[in-house]
Amino acid sequence: MILLLLGCADPPVTGPDDTAETVEIVWTELPAPRLYRRMHLDLTGALPPVEHLDALDLDPSQLEPHQAALFDDERLEERLVVLFGERWLTQIDEYLFEYEEFAEYYLSGVPEYEFERSIANEPLHLMARVVVEDRAWTEIVTADTTVANELIGDVWPLDYPADGTGWLEVAYTDARPGAGILSTNGLWFRYFTTVTNYNRGRVAMLSDQLVCENFIARPVDLSEAPALTDADSIAEAIRTVPYCQGCHSALDPAAAALFGFWTNNEHSVPEYETYHPERETQGEALLQVEMAWFGEPVDGLEGLGVAIANDPRFDSCAAENFAEMFWRRPMANRDQARLDELRQVFVDADRRAKPLIEAVLASPEYRAGELPEALDEGDEVVVRQMPPQMLASAVESATGFRWHHEGYDQLDNSQLGYRTLGGGVDGEFVTTSQTVPSASQQFVVRRLAEAAAEWAVEQGEVHAPATDVPGWIARRYWSLTARRLTDDDLDGLVTVYDAVAAREGDDAATTAVLAAILQDPEFWTW
Amino acid sequence: MLLFLACTQSGSLDSGGSTESAECSGPTWHHFGEGFFRTWCQSCHSSTTPDRSGAPEALDYETYDQVLAGADTIRDAVLVRGSMPLGGGVYPQDLELLEAFLDCPSEGTPGGEDTEAPRAQPTLEGPDVVERVAQVLPSEDMPEPLGARDALVRWLEHATASCPHVAGLSINAPWEGCDADGYTFSGLTEFIGNSSATGVSAFDLLADFSFTAPDGSTFDGGGTAVLAFEDEQALYELTGTWKDDTADGWIHAFSGNLTVAVGETARLDGSVQRDGLSVHLDDVTVDPACTDGVVEVRDDVGWHRLELDCGCGPWTFEGQAQGELCIDLAPQLAGLRDKLELP
């Protein structure tokens, strides 16, 4: 392999090769219509209007104003919920607590799935609302409000208005401090703690998500650590043995600040859905530490949120997270300079996420249309494969079809649906989206395409061409992919149309061609 | 091996294709170093950390200048010998960045302004703090396991005859199938021990249930109520959430984790919330003459802390000295002894 762009005097500590070779990375941008399609899908989940593609085809310089308008699109919040869901992994299918206790909510007629998504999306909506309203991103850990819908607004201690509908910004009424998502039931339903884990797992998650410090991934070797056979020796080791202190010196003091959410019973509804202010100081006694965030003392949950917001890693991590979200790949050391630029954009914008996202969307890594010669496919993602939730919204925008079965969105859950098989994240066992096609993903695309095309024609969402079949097909392909059909491919689709029309009529032919386009890789990639 | 260290990439966030060129700009303090040392070092090597875990005094890595001054030591401990951080665990890619930073350190552009931490002002005066303890722990109605058991018995009087009753409770009894007369029962309960509904007896009650009456009032139990007797002492634990809309007293709205040993004297540990008011007790011992230990009281915005030495001691609010207060929990001791019928 090649050693790229080492500007420093000495070789890296782990690098076996001390010969630095500078390699130029030349980025090639997507054509404006296809790039706009990427942006439109990323920010709305929907395909762009074909008129916009036409305009950009004629005048690519119109891309920036078109892009700017997407930040005011009313679908942006829901789209960010999906993106944050992939990252925060809250959209799981079964909660430890909720699976058994769903009946105790007496939610007559409400499908379990709907309730699960309401729980999962509470913290995601708060984060999305902060972005959409162009507020400082730090509010995700300092806001004294949350965002809830009527379902959780009814059953949790929230001041959700009795006649309210939809996702509204409201406040908890059980004396919990305001610390943004750290104060939401939704986050802690997903990231439960056991009676004796004392919130440590929760801190590991917060550290990973908010300051990009992943305790779980640390290459710690415990082979020489002392054997731990009972609770007392474990507690002692955590405080005194270096193998343990390396993580626990940071984990435990932060865990102590989360004790208002520590439960005595992981399966009790009142224990789980209500904040427990009386337990706030109990963590220090149980963990035998004072509350702190990586060495900085904090005074409870509210102080923890402020300490995280002021952590220098918070800014860098925001840049990293948003870049990963839209570049669709993890960051590498070669990205550090770009990430520093993005961090600076973020800081200069008073830590608002919208300008940061704009900068990410302006980056050559985002706009790339071809793999630079200097990079391998494993290093860079140029062609993105739609995860199931985007596939669902893109197809819906094209056909009006949404795939439901017994109240379950078939592309948004894995219990009674195809989210995982379609290459998506289930939040629990599958934590990153599939980046290359698989057999099961192709089966999902195929069945979705067939069902959506059939439904669209039946419902009159898509009409058979009265005349000029080739023109209709070319136009439809353009609107769905922002690519022009080659003459050969157009001939092929016309042949399909004519053959089906001859046997089963124009509606069936329209369905067949539409289903074929929806299965085309140019459609399910972006 | 493909190694891209960050000493590169003059930025181009402009739209359109771009070319990157190499220059020695290195990972900066504000983008990388500050976070690295926060992650791996400052839990111990910090002037503010509550626990240095043996780190030498004044050997702190909080600022760019401190790290530059200690660069050789850091390089030796982290990159050469691997003796720090304790237990290892630094990702290889971060070690690469650290080396690059130590080789060509630069400060970079700082982050934004810090968010101001809200400065809490107490909402309770001294007498209110003392009164709050009496409200949460009234001498005539101290939270104890008997109240939980008796509430359970009362509610089960409305269940079907075939429903497991306290008199016949078995381990892991689910409440499904107990609905009768408009009452609904869900969840489960474990009950071990003497199940007499009257008198004082030892038992171990583990609850995870929700009951609803025809008028919509509920009884939720999520926790434990454990009572035992030993050498003329009562030992009990009351944890979790207990809320009985139909009852007066502590079980109307209790949440907490309370461990108590009571005989001639009492020792109380843990937290109690009652009707939204919260108290925490840490190693509190009570005899008729003296109350010792730490009592904490939550007001609307923070915690008051009293370190009692025979009833009186320093009073702080969120670490700020407020003076001295006195609390006498002897009435609570007497109340508990009466309730538990101790000799």
Side-chain angles (χ1 to χ4, degrees):
Chain A
M1 304 283 284
I2 46 178
L3 183 65
L4 291 179
L5 303 173
L6 288 176
C8 302
D10 295 329
V13 64
T14 57
D17 185 349
D18 61 359
T19 306
E21 177 189 345
T22 300
V23 176
E24 217 173 44
I25 301 176
V26 180
W27 300 98
T28 305
E29 191 169 300
L30 277 173
R34 184 74 175 175
L35 178 56
Y36 177 61
R37 180 182 186 268
R38 177 178 289 176
M39 293 171 171
H40 204 281
L41 283 164
D42 269 332
L43 297 179
T44 71
L47 296 168
V50 68
E51 299 78 17
H52 291 189
L53 299 180
D54 295 339
L56 289 168
D57 201 30
L58 291 171
D59 182 4
S61 71
Q62 291 302 304
L63 180 64
E64 304 314 322
H66 274 88
Q67 174 193 334
L70 295 177
F71 284 91
D72 296 323
D73 193 291
E74 61 182 15
R75 293 165 291 190
L76 177 60
E77 181 167 320
E78 283 297 337
R79 176 60 190 151
L80 288 169
V81 166
V82 173
L83 287 169
F84 291 141
E86 285 182 345
R87 176 156 201 90
W88 284 78
L89 306 175
T90 59
Q91 295 172 326
I92 59 176
D93 292 327
E94 286 183 9
Y95 292 86
L96 171 74
F97 153 76
E98 189 264 337
Y99 173 63
E100 293 284 348
E101 290 74 19
F102 179 65
E104 289 183 36
Y105 275 110
Y106 306 110
L107 298 168
S108 175
V110 174
E112 189 177 326
Y113 162 77
E114 196 175 318
F115 187 53
E116 286 162 349
R117 277 298 166 277
S118 299
I119 295 171
N121 290 352
E122 182 205 2
L124 309 181
H125 264 287
L126 176 57
M127 290 190 282
R129 188 66 55 90
V130 165
V131 176
V132 167
E133 294 185 349
D134 214 11
R135 291 147 58 180
W137 182 240
T138 48
E139 285 199 38
I140 70 166
V141 287
T142 62
D144 57 7
T145 53
T146 186
V147 177
N149 66 4
E150 54 271 42
L151 196 50
I152 58 175
D154 182 40
V155 296
W156 286 348
L158 290 159
D159 61 1
Y160 194 92
D163 58 350
T165 56
W167 290 94
L168 305 178
E169 192 148 0
V170 294
Y172 279 94
T173 57
D174 56 2
R176 70 183 68 191
I181 57 171
L182 311 188
S183 297
T184 60
N185 278 2
L187 190 66
W188 302 132
F189 269 49
R190 164 63 181 87
Y191 293 101
F192 65 89
T193 190
T194 63
V195 173
T196 53
N197 180 261
Y198 295 141
N199 299 312
R200 292 170 175 127
R202 289 170 162 177
V203 173
M205 178 276 298
L206 291 178
S207 171
D208 184 26
Q209 295 286 359
L210 294 168
V211 297
C212 293
E213 177 51 43
N214 187 347
F215 283 94
I216 308 298
R218 286 183 176 185
V220 178
D221 179 6
L222 293 173
S223 59
E224 294 182 30
L228 303 174
T229 54
D230 59 80
D232 288 343
S233 64
I234 292 171
E236 176 68 12
I238 282 170
R239 291 189 301 278
T240 59
V241 175
Y243 295 99
C244 306
Q245 283 178 290
C247 294
H248 284 276
S249 63
L251 285 174
D252 289 20
L258 295 175
F259 262 69
F261 289 103
W262 179 68
T263 59
N264 285 278
N265 183 329
E266 299 100 331
H267 295 276
S268 165
V269 171
E271 273 288 277
Y272 238 91
E273 68 182 11
T274 309
Y275 184 75
H276 301 283
E278 81 282 0
R279 301 173 200 175
E280 286 174 339
T281 60
Q282 200 169 2
E284 292 186 325
L286 288 169
L287 291 163
Q288 299 180 48
V289 294
E290 292 179 38
M291 297 178 201
W293 176 253
F294 287 90
E296 181 185 341
V298 302
D299 55 356
L301 184 62
E302 200 172 4
L304 180 68
V306 171
I308 293 172
N310 291 338
D311 189 317
R313 295 169 297 180
F314 182 82
D315 298 342
S316 301
C317 192
E320 185 173 329
N321 284 345
F322 280 100
E324 283 189 356
M325 220 182 289
F326 292 102
W327 293 356
R328 307 297 295 180
R329 63 168 172 83
M331 296 298 102
N333 279 357
R334 65 187 162 85
D335 298 311
Q336 292 302 314
R338 180 80 70 221
L339 291 175
D340 198 6
E341 291 176 31
L342 293 171
R343 179 188 69 92
Q344 201 51 53
V345 168
F346 178 62
V347 168
D348 290 346
D350 298 324
R351 292 180 167 132
R352 288 174 298 120
K354 265 190 184 179
L356 174 58
I357 296 172
E358 287 171 349
V360 171
L361 266 53
S363 65
E365 290 86 348
Y366 177 81
R367 296 180 167 219
E370 294 176 16
L371 186 69
E373 281 186 17
L375 299 178
D376 292 337
E377 282 184 27
D379 302 324
E380 192 63 51
V381 174
V382 174
V383 178
R384 294 114 159 101
Q385 174 181 304
M386 287 186 186
Q389 287 161 307
M390 178 186 276
L391 192 61
S393 58
V395 166
E396 185 177 23
S397 68
T399 65
F401 177 76
R402 193 84 183 192
W403 194 1
H404 283 100
H405 178 66
E406 294 186 1
Y408 285 70
D409 188 325
Q410 293 299 282
L411 297 183
D412 188 37
N413 84 97
S414 307
Q415 201 171 34
L416 282 180
Y418 305 101
R419 182 171 57 166
T420 309
L421 290 174
V425 167
D426 72 7
E428 196 166 14
F429 304 108
V430 182
T431 55
T432 54
S433 289
Q434 202 171 293
T435 56
V436 293
S438 65
S440 65
Q441 178 260 350
Q442 283 299 291
F443 284 135
V444 170
V445 169
R446 177 176 175 173
R447 183 68 195 110
L448 173 68
E450 291 168 348
E454 190 174 333
W455 191 91
V457 173
E458 277 179 8
Q459 300 296 316
E461 296 279 337
V462 175
H463 297 285
T467 58
D468 188 16
V469 169
W472 179 90
I473 292 174
R475 181 75 175 157
R476 182 64 56 176
Y477 191 87
W478 168 246
S479 71
L480 293 175
T481 68
R483 296 273 197 204
R484 297 295 186 191
L485 267 174
T486 63
D487 289 344
D488 284 350
D489 287 343
L490 177 59
D491 288 346
L493 285 171
V494 170
T495 303
V496 168
Y497 185 96
D498 290 343
V500 176
R503 283 193 322 197
E504 301 176 44
D506 284 335
D507 280 354
T510 304
T511 301
V513 168
L514 182 56
I517 297 174
L518 293 175
Q519 293 174 68
D520 189 306
E522 293 289 3
F523 175 77
W524 50 262
T525 60
W526 91 106
Chain B
M1 186 173 185
L2 186 60
L3 290 173
F4 287 82
L5 284 189
C7 309
T8 182
Q9 288 186 319
S10 57
S12 175
L13 294 178
D14 299 332
S15 58
S18 72
T19 299
E20 293 170 357
S21 61
E23 62 181 39
C24 184
S25 56
T28 67
W29 168 254
H30 287 297
H31 178 59
F32 165 74
E34 195 173 9
F36 180 91
F37 285 93
R38 170 70 75 99
T39 299
W40 296 104
C41 311
Q42 289 174 22
S43 293
C44 306
H45 293 278
S46 151
S47 60
T48 58
T49 186
D51 181 4
R52 299 185 68 86
S53 298
E57 288 298 326
L59 191 60
D60 295 331
Y61 298 120
E62 296 170 285
T63 66
Y64 181 62
D65 290 340
Q66 286 172 336
V67 168
L68 282 194
D72 290 343
T73 304
I74 294 164
R75 184 189 298 274
D76 180 60
V78 180
L79 299 176
V80 178
R81 290 188 293 117
S83 58
M84 284 285 161
L86 291 176
V90 184
Y91 323 118
Q93 60 269 35
D94 277 7
L95 291 174
E96 292 172 10
L97 292 174
L98 175 66
E99 171 134 5
F101 171 73
L102 293 175
D103 283 347
C104 43
S106 65
E107 197 159 11
T109 316
E113 294 291 313
D114 278 358
T115 299
E116 282 290 317
R119 192 172 296 279
Q121 295 297 325
T123 59
L124 295 178
E125 302 288 334
D128 304 325
V129 173
V130 177
E131 173 62 19
R132 180 62 58 89
V133 175
Q135 288 175 304
V136 177
L137 301 171
S139 58
E140 71 283 6
D141 185 29
M142 285 288 285
E144 40 63 43
L146 295 171
R149 184 201 60 182
D150 294 346
L152 189 62
V153 172
R154 278 198 309 275
W155 275 80
L156 290 175
E157 288 171 358
H158 302 287
T160 57
S162 60
C163 182
H165 190 270
V166 164
L169 274 181
S170 60
I171 293 174
N172 202 17
W175 297 117
E176 277 66 32
C178 295
D179 296 358
D181 300 332
Y183 283 80
T184 59
F185 298 83
S186 68
L188 52 84
T189 299
E190 293 179 13
F191 188 94
I192 304 170
N194 185 329
S195 58
S196 168
T198 57
V200 175
S201 49
F203 58 87
D204 186 333
L205 170 59
L206 172 60
D208 177 10
F209 61 75
S210 180
F211 302 161
T212 305
D215 66 358
S217 55
T218 60
F219 179 30
D220 290 314
T224 57
V226 180
L227 176 63
F229 293 92
E230 186 178 297
D231 299 333
E232 300 189 343
Q233 270 200 120
L235 309 171
Y236 75 77
E237 180 183 89
L238 191 62
T239 73
T241 300
W242 299 86
K243 287 184 177 176
D244 184 349
D245 292 345
T246 67
D248 295 325
W250 69 264
I251 202 162
H252 181 72
F254 171 92
S255 171
N257 296 283
L258 186 60
T259 305
V260 175
V262 56
E264 293 292 331
T265 64
R267 177 182 161 153
L268 302 94
D269 265 301
S271 59
V272 177
Q273 182 197 162
R274 179 178 173 137
D275 292 325
L277 308 178
S278 299
V279 164
H280 179 243
L281 309 168
D282 189 8
D283 199 13
V284 171
T285 58
V286 187
D287 67 33
C290 272
T291 299
D292 295 302
V294 174
V295 175
E296 294 176 292
V297 174
R298 192 182 195 266
D299 70 13
D300 296 340
V301 292
W303 284 86
H304 300 261
R305 178 183 171 94
L306 292 78
E307 297 184 23
L308 302 177
D309 181 6
C310 202
C312 297
W315 162 38
T316 58
F317 176 77
E318 293 294 329
Q320 304 297 313
Q322 304 291 313
E324 184 176 287
L325 279 180
C326 298
I327 288 181
D328 179 12
L329 293 180
Q332 281 76 3
L333 169 62
L336 269 180
R337 288 181 51 80
D338 286 347
K339 226 172 179 182
L340 298 169
E341 300 178 10
L342 290 172

